[in-house]
Amino acid sequence: MALVPLRSLDHRRLGSVLAGRVMPGYSVGGAAAEAAFRRAVALAPADGVSWMELSRLELYLGRPQAALAPARRAAELYPTVARAHTLLAQALLGFGDRAGARAELRWAMAGDWQDDDEARRAAEQMLAGLREPEPKRR
């Protein structure tokens, strides 16, 4: 990074390494990882992967409000990438927006899972848990 400080990919990679050391809910430990991801998206605002990584970190730290904007940006940049919509669904769930989460998960189901069958199964389970209850019959 010292040789090419304006290369966003290096900041994203640093953020990933630092995020790997963070414990859930430990926001102080996540500050360095968050700073690296924020630097990456500042340098390359059209890099949806960096936006997804930032959103994923915020969700991991238990901060759905901070995860929402990066997840939305990733889904805008990569409308066919399932992972972006899944992250957005998770952030919306953090606000209790079950309808919004269902809509994003439906987008995700139709999206590109990039051969990540485990993530697809997890999203299917999440969607199944968010199904609207059947109307009561009289």
PDB file of all heavy atoms in Angstrom, residues 55-56 58-59 63-72 84-97 100-101 104 126:
ATOM      1  N   SER A  55     -20.658  -3.499   4.019  1.00  0.00           N
ATOM      2  CA  SER A  55     -21.974  -3.835   4.554  1.00  0.00           C
ATOM      3  C   SER A  55     -21.907  -5.096   5.412  1.00  0.00           C
ATOM      4  O   SER A  55     -22.471  -5.157   6.508  1.00  0.00           O
ATOM      5  CB  SER A  55     -22.969  -4.033   3.414  1.00  0.00           C
ATOM      6  OG  SER A  55     -24.232  -4.382   3.928  1.00  0.00           O
ATOM      7  N   ARG A  56     -21.193  -6.101   4.919  1.00  0.00           N
ATOM      8  CA  ARG A  56     -21.074  -7.358   5.665  1.00  0.00           C
ATOM      9  C   ARG A  56     -20.400  -7.135   7.016  1.00  0.00           C
ATOM     10  O   ARG A  56     -20.817  -7.687   8.027  1.00  0.00           O
ATOM     11  CB  ARG A  56     -20.300  -8.368   4.839  1.00  0.00           C
ATOM     12  CG  ARG A  56     -20.315  -9.763   5.432  1.00  0.00           C
ATOM     13  CD  ARG A  56     -19.763 -10.756   4.460  1.00  0.00           C
ATOM     14  NE  ARG A  56     -18.385 -10.433   4.141  1.00  0.00           N
ATOM     15  CZ  ARG A  56     -17.439 -11.341   3.976  1.00  0.00           C
ATOM     16  NH1 ARG A  56     -17.724 -12.618   4.066  1.00  0.00           N
ATOM     17  NH2 ARG A  56     -16.222 -10.984   3.679  1.00  0.00           N
ATOM     18  N   GLU A  58     -20.404  -4.326   8.775  1.00  0.00           N
ATOM     19  CA  GLU A  58     -21.344  -3.604   9.641  1.00  0.00           C
ATOM     20  C   GLU A  58     -22.410  -4.551  10.199  1.00  0.00           C
ATOM     21  O   GLU A  58     -22.776  -4.463  11.374  1.00  0.00           O
ATOM     22  CB  GLU A  58     -21.993  -2.443   8.887  1.00  0.00           C
ATOM     23  CG  GLU A  58     -21.033  -1.366   8.431  1.00  0.00           C
ATOM     24  CD  GLU A  58     -20.350  -0.589   9.551  1.00  0.00           C
ATOM     25  OE1 GLU A  58     -20.551  -0.881  10.745  1.00  0.00           O
ATOM     26  OE2 GLU A  58     -19.594   0.343   9.220  1.00  0.00           O
ATOM     27  N   LEU A  59     -22.897  -5.464   9.382  1.00  0.00           N
ATOM     28  CA  LEU A  59     -23.867  -6.446   9.868  1.00  0.00           C
ATOM     29  C   LEU A  59     -23.237  -7.345  10.922  1.00  0.00           C
ATOM     30  O   LEU A  59     -23.848  -7.642  11.948  1.00  0.00           O
ATOM     31  CB  LEU A  59     -24.408  -7.284   8.708  1.00  0.00           C
ATOM     32  CG  LEU A  59     -25.370  -6.567   7.777  1.00  0.00           C
ATOM     33  CD1 LEU A  59     -25.598  -7.394   6.519  1.00  0.00           C
ATOM     34  CD2 LEU A  59     -26.687  -6.278   8.481  1.00  0.00           C
ATOM     35  N   ARG A  63     -24.553  -3.633  13.395  1.00  0.00           N
ATOM     36  CA  ARG A  63     -24.954  -2.260  13.069  1.00  0.00           C
ATOM     37  C   ARG A  63     -25.706  -2.217  11.740  1.00  0.00           C
ATOM     38  O   ARG A  63     -25.165  -1.789  10.717  1.00  0.00           O
ATOM     39  CB  ARG A  63     -23.717  -1.374  13.023  1.00  0.00           C
ATOM     40  CG  ARG A  63     -22.951  -1.379  14.337  1.00  0.00           C
ATOM     41  CD  ARG A  63     -21.846  -0.386  14.426  1.00  0.00           C
ATOM     42  NE  ARG A  63     -20.883  -0.438  13.347  1.00  0.00           N
ATOM     43  CZ  ARG A  63     -19.595  -0.166  13.501  1.00  0.00           C
ATOM     44  NH1 ARG A  63     -19.114   0.169  14.679  1.00  0.00           N
ATOM     45  NH2 ARG A  63     -18.781  -0.202  12.464  1.00  0.00           N
ATOM     46  N   PRO A  64     -26.973  -2.667  11.755  1.00  0.00           N
ATOM     47  CA  PRO A  64     -27.733  -2.690  10.496  1.00  0.00           C
ATOM     48  C   PRO A  64     -27.923  -1.307   9.894  1.00  0.00           C
ATOM     49  O   PRO A  64     -27.988  -1.173   8.672  1.00  0.00           O
ATOM     50  CB  PRO A  64     -29.062  -3.337  10.886  1.00  0.00           C
ATOM     51  CG  PRO A  64     -29.166  -3.175  12.351  1.00  0.00           C
ATOM     52  CD  PRO A  64     -27.755  -3.162  12.878  1.00  0.00           C
ATOM     53  N   GLN A  65     -28.004  -0.286  10.725  1.00  0.00           N
ATOM     54  CA  GLN A  65     -28.175   1.065  10.187  1.00  0.00           C
ATOM     55  C   GLN A  65     -26.961   1.458   9.346  1.00  0.00           C
ATOM     56  O   GLN A  65     -27.106   2.026   8.266  1.00  0.00           O
ATOM     57  CB  GLN A  65     -28.395   2.073  11.310  1.00  0.00           C
ATOM     58  CG  GLN A  65     -28.672   3.465  10.794  1.00  0.00           C
ATOM     59  CD  GLN A  65     -29.086   4.414  11.899  1.00  0.00           C
ATOM     60  OE1 GLN A  65     -29.163   4.051  13.057  1.00  0.00           O
ATOM     61  NE2 GLN A  65     -29.368   5.644  11.526  1.00  0.00           N
ATOM     62  N   ALA A  66     -25.764   1.136   9.825  1.00  0.00           N
ATOM     63  CA  ALA A  66     -24.550   1.450   9.074  1.00  0.00           C
ATOM     64  C   ALA A  66     -24.398   0.543   7.854  1.00  0.00           C
ATOM     65  O   ALA A  66     -23.726   0.907   6.893  1.00  0.00           O
ATOM     66  CB  ALA A  66     -23.332   1.322   9.986  1.00  0.00           C
ATOM     67  N   ALA A  67     -25.007  -0.634   7.894  1.00  0.00           N
ATOM     68  CA  ALA A  67     -24.913  -1.586   6.776  1.00  0.00           C
ATOM     69  C   ALA A  67     -25.859  -1.255   5.633  1.00  0.00           C
ATOM     70  O   ALA A  67     -25.631  -1.670   4.500  1.00  0.00           O
ATOM     71  CB  ALA A  67     -25.209  -2.994   7.281  1.00  0.00           C
ATOM     72  N   LEU A  68     -26.911  -0.517   5.929  1.00  0.00           N
ATOM     73  CA  LEU A  68     -27.969  -0.299   4.944  1.00  0.00           C
ATOM     74  C   LEU A  68     -27.494   0.448   3.695  1.00  0.00           C
ATOM     75  O   LEU A  68     -27.712  -0.019   2.571  1.00  0.00           O
ATOM     76  CB  LEU A  68     -29.144   0.432   5.599  1.00  0.00           C
ATOM     77  CG  LEU A  68     -30.406   0.552   4.769  1.00  0.00           C
ATOM     78  CD1 LEU A  68     -30.933  -0.820   4.365  1.00  0.00           C
ATOM     79  CD2 LEU A  68     -31.464   1.317   5.555  1.00  0.00           C
ATOM     80  N   ALA A  69     -26.854   1.587   3.847  1.00  0.00           N
ATOM     81  CA  ALA A  69     -26.425   2.374   2.680  1.00  0.00           C
ATOM     82  C   ALA A  69     -25.408   1.620   1.820  1.00  0.00           C
ATOM     83  O   ALA A  69     -25.558   1.585   0.590  1.00  0.00           O
ATOM     84  CB  ALA A  69     -25.880   3.729   3.106  1.00  0.00           C
ATOM     85  N   PRO A  70     -24.385   0.990   2.408  1.00  0.00           N
ATOM     86  CA  PRO A  70     -23.465   0.228   1.552  1.00  0.00           C
ATOM     87  C   PRO A  70     -24.150  -0.937   0.837  1.00  0.00           C
ATOM     88  O   PRO A  70     -23.835  -1.219  -0.318  1.00  0.00           O
ATOM     89  CB  PRO A  70     -22.396  -0.282   2.527  1.00  0.00           C
ATOM     90  CG  PRO A  70     -22.488   0.584   3.715  1.00  0.00           C
ATOM     91  CD  PRO A  70     -23.896   1.068   3.789  1.00  0.00           C
ATOM     92  N   ALA A  71     -25.086  -1.595   1.508  1.00  0.00           N
ATOM     93  CA  ALA A  71     -25.803  -2.705   0.864  1.00  0.00           C
ATOM     94  C   ALA A  71     -26.656  -2.190  -0.291  1.00  0.00           C
ATOM     95  O   ALA A  71     -26.708  -2.816  -1.357  1.00  0.00           O
ATOM     96  CB  ALA A  71     -26.671  -3.435   1.885  1.00  0.00           C
ATOM     97  N   ARG A  72     -27.315  -1.061  -0.091  1.00  0.00           N
ATOM     98  CA  ARG A  72     -28.120  -0.474  -1.177  1.00  0.00           C
ATOM     99  C   ARG A  72     -27.241  -0.113  -2.367  1.00  0.00           C
ATOM    100  O   ARG A  72     -27.599  -0.346  -3.519  1.00  0.00           O
ATOM    101  CB  ARG A  72     -28.864   0.759  -0.680  1.00  0.00           C
ATOM    102  CG  ARG A  72     -30.112   0.423   0.044  1.00  0.00           C
ATOM    103  CD  ARG A  72     -31.056   1.612   0.124  1.00  0.00           C
ATOM    104  NE  ARG A  72     -32.319   1.139   0.642  1.00  0.00           N
ATOM    105  CZ  ARG A  72     -32.919   1.630   1.707  1.00  0.00           C
ATOM    106  NH1 ARG A  72     -32.403   2.660   2.349  1.00  0.00           N
ATOM    107  NH2 ARG A  72     -34.054   1.136   2.121  1.00  0.00           N
ATOM    108  N   ALA A  84     -25.443  -9.260  -3.071  1.00  0.00           N
ATOM    109  CA  ALA A  84     -25.751  -7.859  -2.775  1.00  0.00           C
ATOM    110  C   ALA A  84     -27.173  -7.724  -2.227  1.00  0.00           C
ATOM    111  O   ALA A  84     -27.409  -7.008  -1.256  1.00  0.00           O
ATOM    112  CB  ALA A  84     -25.576  -7.003  -4.033  1.00  0.00           C
ATOM    113  N   HIS A  85     -28.105  -8.430  -2.825  1.00  0.00           N
ATOM    114  CA  HIS A  85     -29.500  -8.362  -2.377  1.00  0.00           C
ATOM    115  C   HIS A  85     -29.694  -9.079  -1.045  1.00  0.00           C
ATOM    116  O   HIS A  85     -30.515  -8.658  -0.225  1.00  0.00           O
ATOM    117  CB  HIS A  85     -30.426  -8.920  -3.451  1.00  0.00           C
ATOM    118  CG  HIS A  85     -30.454  -8.058  -4.666  1.00  0.00           C
ATOM    119  ND1 HIS A  85     -31.177  -6.887  -4.741  1.00  0.00           N
ATOM    120  CD2 HIS A  85     -29.798  -8.181  -5.849  1.00  0.00           C
ATOM    121  CE1 HIS A  85     -30.984  -6.325  -5.915  1.00  0.00           C
ATOM    122  NE2 HIS A  85     -30.153  -7.081  -6.603  1.00  0.00           N
ATOM    123  N   THR A  86     -28.930 -10.122  -0.808  1.00  0.00           N
ATOM    124  CA  THR A  86     -29.013 -10.816   0.473  1.00  0.00           C
ATOM    125  C   THR A  86     -28.521  -9.919   1.598  1.00  0.00           C
ATOM    126  O   THR A  86     -29.125  -9.858   2.675  1.00  0.00           O
ATOM    127  CB  THR A  86     -28.202 -12.130   0.426  1.00  0.00           C
ATOM    128  OG1 THR A  86     -28.705 -12.947  -0.630  1.00  0.00           O
ATOM    129  CG2 THR A  86     -28.306 -12.890   1.727  1.00  0.00           C
ATOM    130  N   LEU A  87     -27.431  -9.204   1.368  1.00  0.00           N
ATOM    131  CA  LEU A  87     -26.930  -8.264   2.381  1.00  0.00           C
ATOM    132  C   LEU A  87     -27.949  -7.161   2.645  1.00  0.00           C
ATOM    133  O   LEU A  87     -28.173  -6.773   3.801  1.00  0.00           O
ATOM    134  CB  LEU A  87     -25.597  -7.661   1.931  1.00  0.00           C
ATOM    135  CG  LEU A  87     -24.402  -8.587   1.992  1.00  0.00           C
ATOM    136  CD1 LEU A  87     -23.227  -7.986   1.235  1.00  0.00           C
ATOM    137  CD2 LEU A  87     -24.024  -8.874   3.440  1.00  0.00           C
ATOM    138  N   LEU A  88     -28.566  -6.665   1.591  1.00  0.00           N
ATOM    139  CA  LEU A  88     -29.579  -5.636   1.763  1.00  0.00           C
ATOM    140  C   LEU A  88     -30.757  -6.183   2.557  1.00  0.00           C
ATOM    141  O   LEU A  88     -31.294  -5.509   3.446  1.00  0.00           O
ATOM    142  CB  LEU A  88     -30.028  -5.087   0.406  1.00  0.00           C
ATOM    143  CG  LEU A  88     -31.049  -3.956   0.419  1.00  0.00           C
ATOM    144  CD1 LEU A  88     -30.656  -2.818   1.356  1.00  0.00           C
ATOM    145  CD2 LEU A  88     -31.266  -3.442  -0.997  1.00  0.00           C
ATOM    146  N   ALA A  89     -31.152  -7.412   2.289  1.00  0.00           N
ATOM    147  CA  ALA A  89     -32.241  -8.044   3.051  1.00  0.00           C
ATOM    148  C   ALA A  89     -31.872  -8.145   4.526  1.00  0.00           C
ATOM    149  O   ALA A  89     -32.700  -7.850   5.407  1.00  0.00           O
ATOM    150  CB  ALA A  89     -32.545  -9.429   2.486  1.00  0.00           C
ATOM    151  N   GLN A  90     -30.648  -8.526   4.829  1.00  0.00           N
ATOM    152  CA  GLN A  90     -30.218  -8.637   6.222  1.00  0.00           C
ATOM    153  C   GLN A  90     -30.237  -7.278   6.920  1.00  0.00           C
ATOM    154  O   GLN A  90     -30.649  -7.175   8.078  1.00  0.00           O
ATOM    155  CB  GLN A  90     -28.825  -9.248   6.296  1.00  0.00           C
ATOM    156  CG  GLN A  90     -28.802 -10.703   5.926  1.00  0.00           C
ATOM    157  CD  GLN A  90     -27.389 -11.235   5.826  1.00  0.00           C
ATOM    158  OE1 GLN A  90     -26.537 -10.659   5.140  1.00  0.00           O
ATOM    159  NE2 GLN A  90     -27.134 -12.336   6.508  1.00  0.00           N
ATOM    160  N   ALA A  91     -29.795  -6.241   6.212  1.00  0.00           N
ATOM    161  CA  ALA A  91     -29.821  -4.901   6.804  1.00  0.00           C
ATOM    162  C   ALA A  91     -31.258  -4.455   7.053  1.00  0.00           C
ATOM    163  O   ALA A  91     -31.569  -3.900   8.112  1.00  0.00           O
ATOM    164  CB  ALA A  91     -29.093  -3.909   5.897  1.00  0.00           C
ATOM    165  N   LEU A  92     -32.141  -4.709   6.112  1.00  0.00           N
ATOM    166  CA  LEU A  92     -33.549  -4.333   6.279  1.00  0.00           C
ATOM    167  C   LEU A  92     -34.181  -5.080   7.450  1.00  0.00           C
ATOM    168  O   LEU A  92     -34.981  -4.516   8.192  1.00  0.00           O
ATOM    169  CB  LEU A  92     -34.319  -4.589   4.987  1.00  0.00           C
ATOM    170  CG  LEU A  92     -33.978  -3.657   3.833  1.00  0.00           C
ATOM    171  CD1 LEU A  92     -34.557  -4.178   2.526  1.00  0.00           C
ATOM    172  CD2 LEU A  92     -34.448  -2.244   4.114  1.00  0.00           C
ATOM    173  N   LEU A  93     -33.809  -6.334   7.611  1.00  0.00           N
ATOM    174  CA  LEU A  93     -34.322  -7.100   8.751  1.00  0.00           C
ATOM    175  C   LEU A  93     -33.891  -6.483  10.074  1.00  0.00           C
ATOM    176  O   LEU A  93     -34.623  -6.552  11.055  1.00  0.00           O
ATOM    177  CB  LEU A  93     -33.837  -8.548   8.688  1.00  0.00           C
ATOM    178  CG  LEU A  93     -34.709  -9.503   7.918  1.00  0.00           C
ATOM    179  CD1 LEU A  93     -34.085 -10.889   7.895  1.00  0.00           C
ATOM    180  CD2 LEU A  93     -36.112  -9.555   8.484  1.00  0.00           C
ATOM    181  N   GLY A  94     -32.708  -5.889  10.091  1.00  0.00           N
ATOM    182  CA  GLY A  94     -32.229  -5.210  11.297  1.00  0.00           C
ATOM    183  C   GLY A  94     -33.126  -4.064  11.722  1.00  0.00           C
ATOM    184  O   GLY A  94     -33.124  -3.657  12.883  1.00  0.00           O
ATOM    185  N   PHE A  95     -33.893  -3.555  10.795  1.00  0.00           N
ATOM    186  CA  PHE A  95     -34.866  -2.495  11.078  1.00  0.00           C
ATOM    187  C   PHE A  95     -36.272  -3.048  11.274  1.00  0.00           C
ATOM    188  O   PHE A  95     -37.216  -2.297  11.466  1.00  0.00           O
ATOM    189  CB  PHE A  95     -34.908  -1.482   9.924  1.00  0.00           C
ATOM    190  CG  PHE A  95     -33.703  -0.611   9.857  1.00  0.00           C
ATOM    191  CD1 PHE A  95     -32.672  -0.897   8.983  1.00  0.00           C
ATOM    192  CD2 PHE A  95     -33.580   0.501  10.681  1.00  0.00           C
ATOM    193  CE1 PHE A  95     -31.555  -0.107   8.922  1.00  0.00           C
ATOM    194  CE2 PHE A  95     -32.461   1.303  10.625  1.00  0.00           C
ATOM    195  CZ  PHE A  95     -31.443   1.005   9.747  1.00  0.00           C
ATOM    196  N   GLY A  96     -36.412  -4.349  11.120  1.00  0.00           N
ATOM    197  CA  GLY A  96     -37.730  -4.967  11.232  1.00  0.00           C
ATOM    198  C   GLY A  96     -38.549  -4.874   9.960  1.00  0.00           C
ATOM    199  O   GLY A  96     -39.756  -5.119   9.982  1.00  0.00           O
ATOM    200  N   ASP A  97     -37.919  -4.525   8.856  1.00  0.00           N
ATOM    201  CA  ASP A  97     -38.620  -4.396   7.569  1.00  0.00           C
ATOM    202  C   ASP A  97     -38.682  -5.761   6.889  1.00  0.00           C
ATOM    203  O   ASP A  97     -37.910  -6.069   5.974  1.00  0.00           O
ATOM    204  CB  ASP A  97     -37.915  -3.370   6.689  1.00  0.00           C
ATOM    205  CG  ASP A  97     -38.626  -3.116   5.372  1.00  0.00           C
ATOM    206  OD1 ASP A  97     -39.637  -3.808   5.079  1.00  0.00           O
ATOM    207  OD2 ASP A  97     -38.163  -2.239   4.617  1.00  0.00           O
ATOM    208  N   GLY A 100     -39.605  -5.597   3.050  1.00  0.00           N
ATOM    209  CA  GLY A 100     -38.460  -5.189   2.240  1.00  0.00           C
ATOM    210  C   GLY A 100     -37.439  -6.301   2.119  1.00  0.00           C
ATOM    211  O   GLY A 100     -36.872  -6.529   1.046  1.00  0.00           O
ATOM    212  N   ALA A 101     -37.208  -7.011   3.223  1.00  0.00           N
ATOM    213  CA  ALA A 101     -36.259  -8.126   3.206  1.00  0.00           C
ATOM    214  C   ALA A 101     -36.753  -9.234   2.281  1.00  0.00           C
ATOM    215  O   ALA A 101     -35.973  -9.803   1.512  1.00  0.00           O
ATOM    216  CB  ALA A 101     -36.049  -8.654   4.618  1.00  0.00           C
ATOM    217  N   GLU A 104     -36.120  -8.228  -1.341  1.00  0.00           N
ATOM    218  CA  GLU A 104     -34.710  -8.346  -1.721  1.00  0.00           C
ATOM    219  C   GLU A 104     -34.295  -9.804  -1.858  1.00  0.00           C
ATOM    220  O   GLU A 104     -33.526 -10.160  -2.750  1.00  0.00           O
ATOM    221  CB  GLU A 104     -33.809  -7.625  -0.717  1.00  0.00           C
ATOM    222  CG  GLU A 104     -33.937  -6.126  -0.762  1.00  0.00           C
ATOM    223  CD  GLU A 104     -33.646  -5.540  -2.145  1.00  0.00           C
ATOM    224  OE1 GLU A 104     -32.731  -6.032  -2.852  1.00  0.00           O
ATOM    225  OE2 GLU A 104     -34.337  -4.585  -2.528  1.00  0.00           O
ATOM    226  N   MET A 126     -33.743 -18.186   4.971  1.00  0.00           N
ATOM    227  CA  MET A 126     -34.131 -16.876   5.487  1.00  0.00           C
ATOM    228  C   MET A 126     -35.471 -16.463   4.890  1.00  0.00           C
ATOM    229  O   MET A 126     -36.356 -15.989   5.604  1.00  0.00           O
ATOM    230  CB  MET A 126     -33.055 -15.830   5.162  1.00  0.00           C
ATOM    231  CG  MET A 126     -33.263 -14.514   5.869  1.00  0.00           C
ATOM    232  SD  MET A 126     -32.079 -13.184   5.430  1.00  0.00           S
ATOM    233  CE  MET A 126     -30.583 -14.018   5.055  1.00  0.00           C
TER     234      MET A 126
END
